[in-house]
Amino acid sequence: MDASRPKPIDVDLWLSSDEFDAEQLEETTRTLRSELLDLDVDHVTARKGEAAPSGTRGLDAETIGQLIVGVGPGLVALRQLLETVRSWHSSRRQLKISVRIGEDQIELTDASSESEERLVNEFIRRHGAV
């Protein structure tokens, strides 16, 4: 890794829904991952859990719907990521999306667009200088 290049910041995303089963949630997570890979991000990886027990399907309920996104420091990359997630969520209101950097977390649920926008803008302000 180039020592002069700033290290990406990991943003944790969790998708959950009372309306989706594990396979639907996994597929939805893959769809979001694919869209996030089109952004200027360092990486978008699924959170890895323990190996599935022998004889079971490979879905780990503890890690389904979890992504780690590496973004460059500053406002631009973080805003691009969060605006994409917010826009993506607007057509999938049955999902709850949690976004976390370190110990700071926000949740996109069924709030109004204006409320979500304020929440996202405050989160970006808090982390814009990291």
Side-chain angles (χ1 to χ4, degrees), residues 49-117:
E50 297 177 13
S54 177
T56 63
R57 299 182 73 176
L59 299 177
D60 178 355
E62 293 298 315
T63 59
I64 293 174
Q66 296 185 28
L67 297 172
I68 304 168
V69 183
V71 297
L75 290 172
V76 175
L78 183 59
R79 180 171 298 283
Q80 181 186 40
L81 170 65
L82 292 177
E83 289 300 325
T84 299
V85 169
R86 193 171 152 255
S87 173
W88 190 83
H89 178 253
S90 70
S91 63
R92 295 162 181 89
R93 299 305 252 170
Q94 70 274 35
L95 288 173
K96 177 174 87 172
I97 302 177
S98 298
V99 180
R100 187 178 77 189
I101 297 175
E103 297 300 316
D104 191 9
Q105 179 173 321
I106 61 171
E107 290 185 354
L108 305 178
T109 56
D110 58 355
S112 70
S113 293
E114 296 80 19
S115 294
E116 279 188 359
E117 182 176 9

Side-chain angles (χ1 to χ4, degrees), residues 2-57:
D2 182 356
S4 64
R5 183 175 174 205
K7 183 179 177 186
I9 296 142
D10 282 342
V11 178
D12 295 311
L13 300 176
W14 287 275
L15 282 65
S16 61
S17 174
D18 292 334
E19 299 177 31
F20 287 9
D21 65 22
E23 289 181 14
Q24 290 171 309
L25 189 57
E26 182 181 40
E27 178 61 32
T28 302
T29 304
R30 276 198 303 265
T31 301
L32 177 58
R33 182 181 183 275
S34 177
E35 291 184 32
L36 294 178
L37 285 169
D38 289 337
L39 301 176
D40 186 18
V41 296
D42 187 70
H43 62 269
V44 182
T45 56
R47 183 168 295 281
K48 301 293 183 205
E50 297 177 13
S54 177
T56 63
R57 299 182 73 176

